[in-house]
Amino acid sequence: IKIEKELSSLYKRMFEPLHVPPELFQRLTGQFCNIQTLKIGQAYAAEDKTSVDDRLSILLEGKMKVSYRGHFLHNIYPCAFIDSPEFRSTQMNRGEKFQVTIIADDNCKFLCWSRERLTYFLESEPFLYEIFKYLIGKDITNKLYSLNDPTLNDKASKKIDRQPSLCSQLSVMQMRNSMASTSDSEDGLQMFLRGTSSASSL
């Protein structure tokens, strides 16, 4: 089975180490999804406006910047989910909006699934369903550590090997909502980040 050139690095870095067969990866990426692009400065999501129900994406090339009301939170690098916190936190709740803004910091290319069709597909593939639970959990955990250290770069993030159990107890969406309910001042943001740091240390 030959994997498309654009997806080969994604397969080798994320799916092959977890023993996902090439033919299963090809089925996963060969239907109900497509490769999309954003130019530098274009938005993937706007806070309080973009619905989280439509899609789930993995960044293939470039870099994205995540912010809340103008405050920088963290970057997203290739082979990372763009909207994993929203996917995990709203699986049971429809109609939610992004609590953050996600902007292309470079010219970006990403793999984008229809969220509804992906969910149906994973329900019919128990092995791949568990793989996705693990990958999304690990991705959310990495994002939590990125919130603690906004300088965390791609090279350093590759070295983080945390178990996804943290994400089963914590919801990045909840944290974002708690930040939205605090003061809009810089003190409110710092309070949120300190709270995230305490949760991560636990």
Side-chain angles (χ1 to χ4, degrees), residues 88 140 144 165-172 174-175 196 199-200:
R88 169 60 65 85
I140 292 172
L144 286 172
S165 56
L166 176 64
C167 77
S168 65
Q169 304 297 325
L170 299 172
S171 162
V172 175
Q174 284 180 322
M175 294 182 190
T196 307
S200 297

Side-chain angles (χ1 to χ4, degrees), residues 65-118:
K65 180 172 64 176
V66 181
S67 62
Y68 171 77
R69 297 190 181 179
H71 296 286
F72 170 78
L73 295 181
H74 63 85
N75 290 316
I76 300 172
Y77 296 95
C79 294
F81 286 94
I82 299 173
D83 40 11
S84 56
E86 288 74 18
F87 181 80
R88 169 60 65 85
S89 300
T90 61
Q91 282 178 316
M92 302 300 293
N93 301 310
R94 309 293 286 179
E96 297 283 344
K97 303 292 184 184
F98 275 86
Q99 298 295 305
V100 296
T101 295
I102 305 175
I103 300 288
D105 213 26
D106 295 317
N107 291 330
C108 294
K109 184 180 293 184
F110 57 94
L111 182 67
C112 181
W113 285 278
S114 161
R115 178 169 171 161
E116 185 175 9
R117 296 182 68 184
L118 173 64

Side-chain angles (χ1 to χ4, degrees), residues 51-69:
S51 171
V52 304
D53 294 338
D54 299 333
R55 56 187 174 171
L56 176 69
S57 303
I58 295 179
L59 187 61
L60 298 175
E61 296 178 11
K63 183 178 74 172
M64 290 184 173
K65 180 172 64 176
V66 181
S67 62
Y68 171 77
R69 297 190 181 179

Side-chain angles (χ1 to χ4, degrees), residues 5 44 83 127 151 170:
K5 186 178 180 180
Y44 176 87
D83 40 11
F127 171 69
T151 63
L170 299 172

Side-chain angles (χ1 to χ4, degrees), residues 9-55:
S9 62
L10 174 67
Y11 175 70
K12 289 178 181 177
R13 181 167 163 185
M14 293 182 69
F15 291 89
E16 188 176 41
L18 298 176
H19 308 291
V20 175
E23 58 270 20
L24 186 55
F25 178 78
Q26 195 173 62
R27 286 181 60 204
L28 173 69
T29 57
Q31 54 186 338
F32 51 81
C33 73
N34 54 64
I35 294 176
Q36 299 182 15
T37 59
L38 284 177
K39 293 183 179 180
I40 185 169
Q42 289 185 312
Y44 176 87
E47 57 194 82
D48 300 324
K49 294 181 180 179
T50 306
S51 171
V52 304
D53 294 338
D54 299 333
R55 56 187 174 171

